[in-house]
Amino acid sequence: MSELLKWVLSLSLSGSVLILFLMLLRPLVRERFSRRWQYYIWLLVIARLLLPVGGLEAPARIETAEPRAAPSLSLPEVDREDMEVRTSEETAPGFNDSQKPWAAVRENLWVVWLAGALVLLIRKATAYQSFLRYLRAGWKPVEDPALLDRAAKAGEEIGAKRPVELYVNPLAASPMLLGVWKPCVVLPMVELPEEDFRFVVLHELTHYRRGDVLYKWLMQLTVCIHWFNPLVWVMCRLMNRDMELACDEGVLRRFGEEARAGYAMTLIGMEEGKRVLLPLYNGFSKNAI
């Protein structure tokens, strides 16, 4: 078995222990810790799944010494008999035929793992590119100065480092944030009441401010590497959910509890029709891609 696969299996095992621990801990911390804390704690699990703690062990140093004449020792009789038994077993008919295939499978398991990881990564990357082309084919930049001014004020309110471009595409079905280096917000419509527009833009800009797009790709990379581990897939779904709840929590803190009902109604209205695009996402969150 390849040393690389052994390393991956070791990380997957230790990461699974952390995932199970956090899953058992969720009912106890749900009301005691913020949603943001419950979201970011998953990043520790991702770090455990991707990074070794102690690193690779250094090979033992071999010290040379002056050659000395070794004393002549005779092997014990029991050892000689054991060697003779092993030799007779290994030379027996059918020994090599039954053991060699399993040994070959063990030695080539890393090929199966690597093929699965590459296929999944390529599939996700191509699905994402197809989804981008699908959106870009029908979007238009928002040019209304009043809407752009509202979006700029929302960015200043949450401390965004640079302005984020706005696009509208009726096929988007729900608002979303796209891109890592040149992020943009895609809206299904711009004919919204002023308060609803502010809610939606602040939600997406909060994703941008917190770097959720980068965390999303890091999560997908983790899934591709540990594709054989069902707990990693469960962690991905839980992290997606916690990311959205943490973003909602951050927006509500700015508006206050009195805006909770209006914010919830805005999100429900924007969620209508989202199933139209679900097959294109292929594991990516609808709000931060």
Side-chain angles (χ1 to χ4, degrees):
M1 187 184 299
S2 171
E3 293 298 325
L4 178 60
L5 180 56
K6 292 180 181 179
W7 175 67
V8 172
L9 291 176
S10 176
L11 294 180
S12 191
L13 179 60
S14 57
S16 298
V17 174
L18 289 178
I19 294 173
L20 288 174
F21 175 75
L22 291 180
M23 290 175 62
L24 294 175
L25 200 64
R26 285 175 71 87
L28 301 178
V29 303
R30 185 171 300 164
E31 303 299 332
R32 299 183 182 182
F33 294 90
S34 66
R35 296 292 184 178
R36 187 175 183 179
W37 181 91
Q38 297 178 47
Y39 165 49
Y40 284 127
I41 196 65
W42 290 114
L43 295 179
L44 296 179
V45 182
I46 290 180
R48 171 67 274 190
L49 289 167
L50 296 180
L51 303 174
V53 174
L56 299 177
E57 296 182 359
R61 184 175 61 182
I62 302 177
E63 297 182 357
T64 59
E66 293 295 332
R68 294 182 299 177
S72 58
L73 297 176
S74 58
L75 292 175
E77 191 65 25
V78 63
D79 289 345
R80 292 179 179 176
E81 294 178 357
D82 182 62
M83 292 175 60
E84 293 177 357
V85 170
R86 291 182 180 179
T87 303
S88 61
E89 291 179 350
E90 294 177 357
T91 56
F95 178 82
N96 292 333
D97 295 339
S98 61
Q99 296 297 326
K100 283 184 178 180
W102 290 108
V105 169
R106 288 196 302 268
E107 291 299 325
N108 292 284
L109 277 178
W110 70 274
V111 177
V112 178
W113 162 77
L114 184 60
L118 290 178
V119 168
L120 187 58
L121 181 62
I122 294 173
R123 180 186 176 190
K124 288 180 177 293
T126 54
Y128 177 67
Q129 292 299 323
S130 300
F131 179 69
L132 284 182
R133 288 193 296 268
Y134 177 82
L135 284 180
R136 288 172 177 170
W139 75 14
K140 295 180 180 180
V142 176
E143 299 178 350
D144 188 342
L147 295 178
L148 294 176
D149 185 61
R150 293 177 193 173
K153 289 181 179 179
E156 294 176 358
E157 185 176 349
I158 66 171
K161 297 181 180 179
R162 54 183 176 179
V164 178
E165 296 182 352
L166 287 179
Y167 292 90
V168 58
N169 187 342
L171 299 177
S174 61
M176 63 191 69
L177 176 69
L178 298 176
V180 177
W181 309 116
K182 294 181 179 180
C184 64
V185 174
V186 181
L187 304 174
M189 65 183 71
V190 292
E191 295 80 11
L192 297 171
E194 183 175 352
E195 186 181 42
D196 291 350
F197 182 85
R198 188 183 179 207
F199 280 146
V200 171
V201 173
L202 273 177
H203 181 94
E204 302 306 327
L205 291 181
T206 300
H207 281 304
Y208 164 66
R209 180 67 177 82
R210 295 182 175 182
D212 288 340
V213 176
L214 184 60
Y215 296 150
K216 175 64 64 174
W217 279 104
L218 191 63
M219 186 195 316
Q220 296 303 317
L221 177 62
T222 305
V223 170
C224 291
I225 294 177
H226 299 274
W227 58 268
F228 55 87
N229 190 339
L231 289 176
V232 175
W233 293 87
V234 173
M235 180 200 69
C236 182
R237 291 195 295 269
L238 293 176
M239 189 174 178
N240 279 330
R241 180 183 177 185
D242 291 340
M243 179 182 68
E244 293 302 322
L245 293 176
C247 186
D248 293 338
E249 180 187 67
V251 174
L252 287 175
R253 282 181 179 178
R254 298 183 179 279
F255 287 98
E257 291 298 321
E258 62 275 6
R260 180 180 294 273
Y263 180 71
M265 292 304 298
T266 300
L267 293 182
I268 292 174
M270 289 295 176
E271 291 289 324
E272 293 180 355
K274 70 180 182 180
R275 291 182 178 84
V276 176
L277 290 182
L278 281 182
L280 293 174
Y281 286 104
N282 193 33
F284 293 91
S285 172
K286 64 178 183 57
N287 290 99
I289 302 180

